Amino acid sequence: MAGVPTKTMRKSLQKKGFVFQKGIGDHDWYYYSYNGKEYKQIAAKISRGSGYKDYPDSLLKCMRILLHLDSLQEVRQLLLCPMDAEEYKSILDGKDLL
Amino acid sequence: MAMSATSYFNVKTSLYRPKPVSTVRDSIHYAQAMSESTSEAVFSFITVPTPIDASRYPAMIPATTAYVDEYKPRTIHMERLCFGDKVLSIKSGLSLKVEVYLDDGNWIAFNERFGIYGFGASRQDALRDFQETFIEFYENIVNCPNENLGPSTIEFKTVLSSFATVV
C-alpha cells in the first residue's frame, strides 16, 4: 500500500488533538492533549529527515502502539483523515486512557 | 602369505587404475571415466565438483552463513541506553526487549511494550535512533510536572520511572 506523506500526518494529528513538540534529534513529537491535560503516552514520532517524506506500512505498524490503535488500518484512517477527532477520542476513552 | 589390510586395498585399487593420477583434474576425469566404464557401485562415493566461473555470475552473492546472518532479525535485551552524554539505566534484573529487523527496506528497532521504535538505513542506525527516541520519550514524561498530565499518564509515569533511571 502507498505510504502516508509526513506532511499529511502532521496536519492530521494536529486536527485530532495532538500537540507538536520539537524533538532533540531529526524527529518531532506529537502528544495527545485533552481538557488542558497532556497524555504523553499517546504520541507519534515523525521524522524530519528528507529520506522519510512518506511513511511506509512498516513504520505505520510501529506507530500503532503509541497511538493506542488496534490495527494498521486504524492508523491509516487516523492519519489520512477518515477517522475524526471525536471517533479517536471515543477509542481512547474506551481504553480508559482519558 | 598373510596380507595386511593396507596392502590388500592397494592391490584392489591398482586393478582399477590404468595410469597414475598426477593432477586433480586428471583424478576427476579418471573418476568420471571409471564410473562410466566400471561398476557404479565402486565409484558411487565420488562426487565430481562442477567448476563455477564466478565472473559469469556478477549478480550472485555467495549464500554464506555470514551473509544470511547479516539480514536475520535479532532480539536484543538492552540494560543501558545511550544517546549523546545521556545514559538511561534499566533497573537491575530487568531489560528492554528490542526486536531489530528489516522491513520495506528500512531497518527497524522496535520495543513492543512501550511502542517505541527507531529506524534507519542500517541495523546500527536503527538502534541509535531507538536509543535516542526512548531517552527522549522517557525524559518528556518523567520530567513533566504531574499537574500538566492526565491521570493515565501519571500512572504511566510511575511505571516508566520504576523501570529505568537516568545515570
Side-chain angles (χ1 to χ4, degrees), chain B residues 50-62:
Chain B
T50 313
I52 296 170
D53 178 8
S55 63
R56 289 179 59 200
Y57 306 99
M60 278 177 70
I61 301 165

Side-chain angles (χ1 to χ4, degrees), chain A residues 1 4-5 10 15 21 29 32-33 40-41 45-46 49 62 65 74 76 78 85 88-89 91 95-96:
Chain A
M1 213 176 274
V4 179
R10 288 172 188 274
K15 270 189 204 167
Q21 187 176 315
W29 286 95
Y32 191 73
S33 176
K40 290 194 165 191
Q41 83 278 33
K45 178 186 90 162
I46 296 182
C62 294
I65 292 179
E74 280 187 339
R76 292 184 75 90
L78 176 77
Y88 184 54
K89 188 192 145 291
I91 289 176
K95 294 182 175 179
D96 291 329

